[in-house]
Every structure is written in C-alpha cells, then in structure tokens.
Amino acid sequence: MSAGKVWGLLVLGRKSELALILPSLCVIVIVLAVPLAYLLSYGVYATGSGFQPRYGFTFANFDKLLRDPFYLSIFGKTFLLSVVATILAGVLGYGFAHFMWRADRRWRGVLTILVLSPLLVSIVVTSFGWIVILGRNGLINQALQGLGLIDEPLRLVFNDVGILIGLVHVVLPFMVLSVLAALERIEPVLTEAAATLGASPARVFRHVILPLSMPGIGAGTTIVFSLCISAYVTPAVLGGNGPNFVTTLIYNQFVALHNWPFGAAVATVLLAVALLTVLLYLRWIGRVSQAGVPAAEARRA
Amino acid sequence: MIGLRIAAALIATFLLAPTIVVVGSSFSGGTLPHFPPSDLSLRWYAHALAQPIFTEAAFNSLWLALAATAIATPLALAAAIAIVRGDFAGKSAVQAVLLAPLFVPAIVVSLSILLVSARLGIRDIGLRLVAAHVLITMPYLVRTLIASLTRFDVMLEEAARTLGASPFTTFRIITLPLIWPGLLAGALFALVVSFDNVSVSLFLTSARTNTLPLSILNYVEYNYDPSIAALSTMLVCLSLLAAVVLERLVGLRRVVGS
C-alpha cells in the first residue's frame, strides 16, 4: 500500500477502520484484558504464600476471605468510609457546583482550576499537606490549642478521620463537575418562569433546580463511590498502621506477606464491586439520556 | 446569599488548603514542616535536589511520561479517527473498550500486570511501566481527540480533496491544524496523568528503579521533613503551568471529562 493510500484511509476513514483501531485494541487486550483474566484465574488456581505457590483449582482463598472476621471488617470499613465520603462529597460538591453555576462568567476559568486542583496536584503532595494540617502539632491542633478550646491535641490523622478527609478532598472535583454539567443543561426559562409565577427562591430550588439536577447527583455519587473504594494513596498515607482499607490489604498481602494468591482473591472482589458500581453508573447515564428526550421536546412545545 | 458565599469560600479553602500548606511549609528553616513557616529558608530545596533518590526518580518519571505519551498519542489518534469518521458495526462497543482502563481500579491493573510479567519472566521494569502507562493515558487522549474531531466539518476535508490536494496534504493542511489544540491538550494531560501516577506503578517498580511519586511516598513513610514540601512545591508549579495551558487550549473540563 502506498503512503498516499494510508493517509487517504487516515483522512477519510472509510474502509480500514480496523487497521486504525487494531493497535490501540491490542494494547487493551495485552496490557488489560489478558492480565485481568490471569488475575481472576490466579485467585482460584493457587494457594500459599512465598514465591512457590501450590497450584490446583481451589476456593480456599475466597473461603478464607469470607470467613475471617478480620478481612470482612476491612471490607466493611472500606465500604462504610466510602459511603460516608460519598455523602459528604455529594453535599459539598452540590453546594459548590451551584455556586459556580450562578457565578459571573469571568470567574469560570479561575473557579475551574480551583475545583480541579486536587486532581492536577499530585495526590502524594496533597496527602503530605494534610499531614501538616491535621497532625499532632499541625495547623488545626495548634490553632485550637492557641484559642484554648482543647487541652490535648485531637487525633485527626493516621486514623479513619484522616482517610475520610483525604477521600472527600480528592473526589470532590468529580462530584462538582457532574452536578455542574446537569445544572448547565437546565434552561434558564424554567427557573425564570417559576419565579415570575411567584415561587420563592427556595421553592424554585426545591421544585425546579433540584429535580432537574438529580441525574448529575446520581452520576456523580456513583463515580465518586467507585473512586473511593479503589483509592490507595489516601489510606496508605493518612490511615492508621496496618491494613486499614481493601487496597492497603492487597498491598500488604503482595509486598509484605508475599501471599499473591490471597491478594489476587481480594483484588478480584474489589474489581467486582468497582465494576458493579460502574454498571450502575452507566444505567444512570442511560436513564438520563432517555428521560432527557421527552423533557426537551416538552420544553420546545 | 451571603451564607452560600461563605460556604463556597469554605469549600474553596478546603480544596486549596493542602497545596497552600505544602508550598508555605517548604520555606521552613527548621527541621519540621511548619505552616506558616517560622523562619524562612531555602535550605530544604537544596537538600531535596541533592538527594539522588529524588533526582533519579524525577528523570525516570519524565522519561516514562514522555515515552508513554509518545506511544499513546498516535494510537489514540488513529482510533479516534476511525470512531468519528468510520461507520462500522460495534463502534460504540469499541469506544467503551478503549475507555475501559478508566473504570478498573488502578491497583488491580498494577498487580495483574505484575502477575503476568512474573509468569512470563519479564523483568524489564521500563518495559512494564511504559506498557502500563500507555494503557492508562490512552483513554484521556481518545476522549479529547474524539471531541475535537467531532466538532469540525468533514466538508472542509472533502473540499480540499476536490480541489486536488493529496490525502496527505489534506491531513497536514486541513485536519491537523483543526484538531491541533485537542491533540496538544490531550498529550499534555497524558503527561500529567503519567507523571503523577502512583497506583498503576505501585507493583511495577523496584527499590532501585522508582518513579518520583512513589519515591516521595516511600520517603514520607519514614521521614517527616520539609524537603518533601520543597519537592512538592516544584511539582505544584509544573501542575499549575499545565493547568493554565490546558484551560487556554481547550478548557480543562473537556480534558478531564464531565
């Protein structure tokens, strides 16, 4: 094939879409699909720690995971902390998105960079910042002690409180963006009409803005929950000693105990929960686009 | 209204607080990171830059980010062109598959690559890191490139072809300039994603070959001094620069995806 022909296909993309897509699909298959399949099989095909695991089909890893209260408690704690972080991020994120939506357009650029700053600054950096703020001699404890409000420093970090604060901080941008996208789809005419007809700002919010921004809340909370349960750096840096989260449990099994088969089993469960959440997320999006069509038509009529 | 403004200001403070504190405490003169810094000094910058574990790791991260972006960008461009211009069965499925790496927990991606490379006897740390980073940067590139390709008129290309331009000339003179901001923004964001990544690199590095975020993470586990703050401040400056350029190019929100 001549060079001109290749470029022709590249430009018009008529016939050899396959040739264009194949390289990237190969990356997905080789670096994602095959390793994931191997991981899934590893959890049910190997047991024992060390570098020489025993092979043979077994449910021993999953059995151990589901029977031991210690591992179950880590799963429970991860789930609970993720739910609480999602609720907090939902409330704060909605408030800030609403503020951005109403703010002067001039401020959009600055506000966007501000809201996305937790994503743009490395998470290792922000986690370290939280230690400086929340630590025993940190900013908050010194301020509270200086004001004479507390005698003993509060324990705000290297425990679940630290994990929670760190999680909310890092997932907040996703929540804000989801809600903001939904708010921006609301036609200004609707809120104006409600106000003209005599509704107070509070009533306009409750009966017009809130219901119409529900899809943003749904999409935001599902994606945020999925990010929370698979977070690693936050629990590793801001959490207490030992495995305190599903991800740090996996790390612990792989790196400290060399129990790869059991680590693979834990990872399989995490993967299943995360993917289930994503499916839920996609259903939300789907329902939104279906519900959006008649609503838009009604608006035009 | 005043109440809402105060709430928004508090949330903004919450979002920025750790970054501001890190930057502020990097100028501490004492042995502990302190905010506000008590006596100003740049000694921890000198200390951080004098440590080979950080400088070597910084070079590793830079090479890794550049290599991953250089490989992922053409792959993503080809795929985006096929998805936007092509008309074939299973198009939306292909698109979903290309975005799939975003939905799998990064730590799971990392250890599944570890398991397979251990099984196949692949010990080359560079190779498995580059492969992993190509995988996680590709979805962002595909998304921005699909957005830029969708927004311009195919008629422009067809007009050029009708007027006698070769396909290559058409691509060079019409297509490329039109998608340029999207291409640049996608590549820049890919660099940032790769450079900052922790969870995908987690199981793929070694004590001797490390990335910068992972070496910082290891350091923080056993040390607590302002050199990390100094190092972090330099990273914050780079991130801020990237953020401003991205916002100017195509708008940050489009790149991050919402």
Side-chain angles (χ1 to χ4, degrees):
Chain A
M1 210 189 309
S2 73
K5 220 169 182 179
V6 174
W7 283 110
L9 292 169
L10 209 62
V11 173
L12 294 171
R14 283 282 176 267
K15 261 191 189 139
S16 64
E17 288 98 353
L18 193 66
L20 290 172
I21 286 179
L22 216 53
S24 46
L25 282 186
C26 280
V27 171
I28 301 273
V29 169
I30 297 169
V31 191
L32 185 71
V34 169
L36 280 184
Y38 186 63
L39 170 82
L40 298 184
S41 69
Y42 206 79
V44 288
Y45 203 70
T47 40
S49 55
F51 295 100
Q52 295 293 326
R54 287 182 303 280
Y55 293 104
F57 184 79
T58 170
F59 272 123
N61 298 312
F62 289 93
D63 198 52
K64 180 176 164 188
L65 181 62
L66 294 173
R67 274 175 206 275
D68 194 320
F70 174 68
Y71 301 124
L72 285 179
S73 76
I74 292 180
F75 266 92
K77 189 164 130 181
T78 304
F79 187 80
L80 197 68
L81 280 173
S82 300
V83 168
V84 176
T86 304
I87 293 170
L88 285 174
V91 173
L92 296 178
Y94 196 98
F96 202 77
H98 191 273
F99 174 78
M100 276 182 84
W101 181 48
R102 286 297 187 213
D104 201 311
R105 287 213 76 84
R106 288 181 293 184
W107 296 102
R108 266 299 161 81
V110 178
L111 286 174
T112 309
I113 290 186
L114 194 153
V115 109
L116 293 180
S117 63
L119 298 182
L120 291 161
V121 177
S122 169
I123 185 164
V124 184
V125 173
T126 49
S127 302
F128 181 74
W130 282 121
I131 298 180
V132 180
I133 295 173
L134 304 170
R136 228 183 120 75
N137 295 310
L139 202 54
I140 290 182
N141 273 321
Q142 282 199 336
L144 292 176
Q145 279 174 314
L147 291 169
L149 293 172
I150 51 169
D151 299 323
E152 283 287 299
L154 299 174
R155 282 185 48 84
L156 297 169
V157 75
F158 307 128
N159 56 16
D160 295 350
V161 180
I163 297 180
L164 198 60
I165 293 173
L167 281 181
V168 173
H169 181 254
V170 77
V171 298
L172 198 50
F174 294 96
M175 195 67 219
V176 173
L177 291 182
S178 287
V179 174
L180 187 58
L183 287 173
E184 282 174 343
R185 275 194 294 267
I186 299 176
E187 301 210 9
V189 188
L190 292 174
T191 52
E192 283 160 22
T196 315
L197 293 170
S200 66
R203 266 178 75 93
V204 175
F205 178 76
R206 219 180 93 63
H207 293 286
V208 181
I209 297 173
L210 193 59
L212 286 173
S213 54
M214 245 7 220
I217 301 175
T221 44
T222 35
I223 201 80
V224 158
F225 179 77
S226 159
L227 288 168
C228 282
I229 52 163
S230 46
Y232 170 74
V233 178
T234 304
V237 178
L238 302 177
N241 282 328
N244 46 31
F245 219 67
V246 172
T247 47
T248 50
L249 172 65
I250 295 172
Y251 185 81
N252 193 256
Q253 291 295 327
F254 264 78
V255 175
L257 304 175
H258 292 295
N259 194 339
W260 289 18
F262 185 63
V266 180
T268 302
V269 177
L270 175 65
L271 180 67
V273 177
L275 289 184
L276 220 63
T277 319
V278 169
L279 280 181
L280 222 70
Y281 168 76
L282 293 177
R283 275 194 60 179
W284 256 109
I285 304 273
R287 204 183 303 162
V288 170
S289 52
Q290 279 167 8
V293 177
E297 274 164 9
R299 254 175 257 153
R300 239 175 268 129
Chain B
M1 225 24 234
I2 294 290
L4 280 179
R5 283 210 184 143
I6 293 172
L10 285 176
I11 296 169
T13 312
F14 174 69
L15 285 165
L16 285 179
T19 310
I20 291 171
V21 164
V22 165
V23 173
S25 60
S26 72
F27 301 109
S28 302
T31 50
L32 290 175
H34 210 271
F35 187 86
S38 37
D39 36 7
L40 295 175
S41 158
L42 287 175
R43 60 183 268 223
W44 293 105
Y45 282 83
H47 185 255
L49 290 173
Q51 301 213 35
I53 47 161
F54 293 140
T55 46
E56 277 169 22
F59 271 108
N60 291 341
S61 282
L62 190 64
W63 276 116
L64 175 59
L66 287 172
T69 307
I71 296 169
T73 306
L75 295 182
L77 179 59
I81 288 175
I83 286 170
V84 175
R85 300 293 160 72
D87 182 23
F88 53 95
K91 201 161 97 166
S92 55
V94 166
Q95 195 175 341
V97 166
L98 287 174
L99 296 180
L102 294 178
F103 299 114
V104 179
I107 190 170
V108 176
V109 171
S110 184
L111 65 88
S112 64
I113 294 173
L114 168 73
L115 284 173
V116 163
S117 56
R119 180 68 207 258
L120 298 176
I122 299 169
R123 293 183 178 278
D124 191 329
I125 290 168
L127 178 69
R128 53 194 201 191
L129 274 177
V130 169
H133 280 232
V134 167
L135 179 78
I136 52 156
T137 50
M138 227 167 44
Y140 294 103
L141 282 156
V142 168
R143 203 153 57 181
T144 26
L145 287 169
I146 284 179
S148 3
L149 281 166
T150 313
R151 262 177 307 140
F152 87 86
D153 200 341
V154 190
M155 294 277 275
L156 292 171
E157 284 174 353
E158 282 165 8
R161 297 281 288 130
T162 317
L163 291 171
S166 72
F168 177 68
T169 312
T170 310
F171 182 80
R172 196 165 54 89
I173 297 189
I174 308 292
T175 317
L176 208 53
L178 282 168
I179 61 167
W180 190 243
L183 192 64
L184 215 58
L188 187 58
F189 194 65
L191 281 175
V192 174
V193 165
S194 164
F195 195 84
D196 283 346
N197 185 276
V198 176
S199 304
V200 165
S201 310
L202 194 61
F203 295 112
L204 306 177
T205 59
S206 74
R208 288 181 58 208
T209 310
N210 222 337
T211 66
L212 187 58
L214 274 175
S215 65
I216 294 178
L217 195 65
N218 291 341
Y219 191 85
V220 169
E221 231 171 291
Y222 302 105
N223 305 275
Y224 187 62
D225 68 48
S227 62
I228 290 298
L231 205 59
S232 301
T233 304
M234 295 184 249
L235 292 181
V236 169
C237 291
L238 284 179
S239 308
L240 195 65
L241 192 71
V244 172
V245 173
L246 284 171
E247 177 68 18
R248 283 282 155 83
L249 275 178
V250 288
L252 265 178
R253 286 175 63 197
R254 184 168 293 130
V255 187
V256 178
S258 76

